[in-house]
Amino acid sequence: LWKGTGKDGYAVKAPWPVADDEDKILTRQAKFLRDSLKFFRAQAGKAKKGWNQVSVLVIDSYPDWKVNTLKFMQEQYDDGFPADFMKKLKSWTSGLPDKKLIKFTMQFASFTKKEVEDVGPTAMDLSLPFDQKSIIDESANYIKSQLNLEQIDVIKLDDAGGADVPDRIRDNVVPGKAYLWFR
């Protein structure tokens, strides 16, 4: 069989193939699709029966308070966060006007800090290096078959297309985490 493929010598003495460097953006795109589909399955399981329209909501930009938090975190990061990072974060948030906003900021920073420890400083990027809408569009048939849907549309909330999305739904959508909206 080995000689039939045009190779010389013995298969057991052939060198291992050499792999190219990992394409980090492609890996993040695959993780986005995998995580989104897992989240969609969970949402579909909890959805009320009788919905007839399903939209996937994506957004490219964070709200201002999250952008400010990410910028603060980027300033603090130097091959890792300092030991007193949470203390610095608490003093930084003390200048915020609303206690609820302070709570959300602390939660978001804590979550992002864990993400940075897992995937590196790219978790603090202010925008994603890929287009979420195009990934969902290209994978629409796969998503429909996995969720047993007949039709699915993708709404990018940064555009004018998301004007009819309620605020309570819109607040659940963040960059890198698409949301399934049942209507």
Side-chain angles (χ1 to χ4, degrees):
L1 184 64
W2 182 253
K3 290 190 188 243
T5 61
K7 307 288 183 180
D8 293 328
Y10 297 104
V12 294
K13 294 189 178 196
W16 284 98
V18 178
D20 293 333
D21 290 337
E22 176 189 13
D23 183 352
K24 299 277 188 189
I25 294 177
L26 186 61
T27 302
R28 283 185 72 187
Q29 290 173 337
K31 183 180 182 327
F32 166 73
L33 182 60
R34 186 177 55 248
D35 292 348
S36 295
L37 195 54
K38 181 179 177 183
F39 186 62
F40 295 165
R41 285 187 188 115
Q43 283 183 287
K46 294 177 184 176
K48 295 177 184 174
K49 302 297 178 206
W51 43 265
N52 55 8
Q53 282 187 302
V54 179
S55 299
V56 176
L57 307 176
V58 295
I59 193 165
D60 287 334
S61 59
Y62 286 104
D64 290 340
W65 68 271
K66 285 186 178 181
V67 170
N68 294 337
T69 305
L70 289 171
K71 286 180 180 177
F72 171 78
M73 292 178 76
Q74 289 169 351
E75 291 170 5
Q76 299 296 314
Y77 188 81
D78 183 28
D79 285 338
F81 289 105
D84 63 341
F85 171 74
M86 293 309 280
K87 189 175 182 181
K88 288 181 180 181
L89 178 66
K90 191 169 184 172
S91 66
W92 179 76
T93 57
S94 65
L96 296 175
D98 185 13
K99 280 192 172 197
K100 203 171 194 179
L101 183 59
I102 292 172
K103 177 185 170 189
F104 290 151
T105 301
M106 295 293 284
Q107 288 174 342
F108 176 69
S110 178
F111 170 78
T112 305
K113 183 176 182 250
K114 288 176 187 159
E115 283 285 306
V116 170
E117 291 166 2
D118 290 343
V119 300
T122 57
M124 295 182 291
D125 289 348
L126 300 178
S127 63
L128 294 176
F130 56 88
D131 184 12
Q132 303 169 93
K133 186 178 184 317
S134 66
I135 291 172
I136 299 291
D137 282 337
E138 291 168 8
S139 307
N141 288 335
Y142 177 64
I143 293 169
K144 286 190 284 188
S145 69
Q146 290 293 307
L147 301 176
N148 295 324
L149 300 172
E150 291 182 21
Q151 184 178 348
I152 195 167
D153 61 323
V154 183
I155 300 174
K156 193 170 187 176
L157 295 178
D158 293 327
D159 300 338
D164 60 335
V165 178
D167 286 341
R168 64 180 175 78
I169 301 293
R170 183 183 294 270
D171 291 343
N172 291 322
V173 186
V174 294
K177 189 173 182 183
Y179 189 85
L180 206 58
W181 180 34
F182 300 95
R183 298 183 270 168

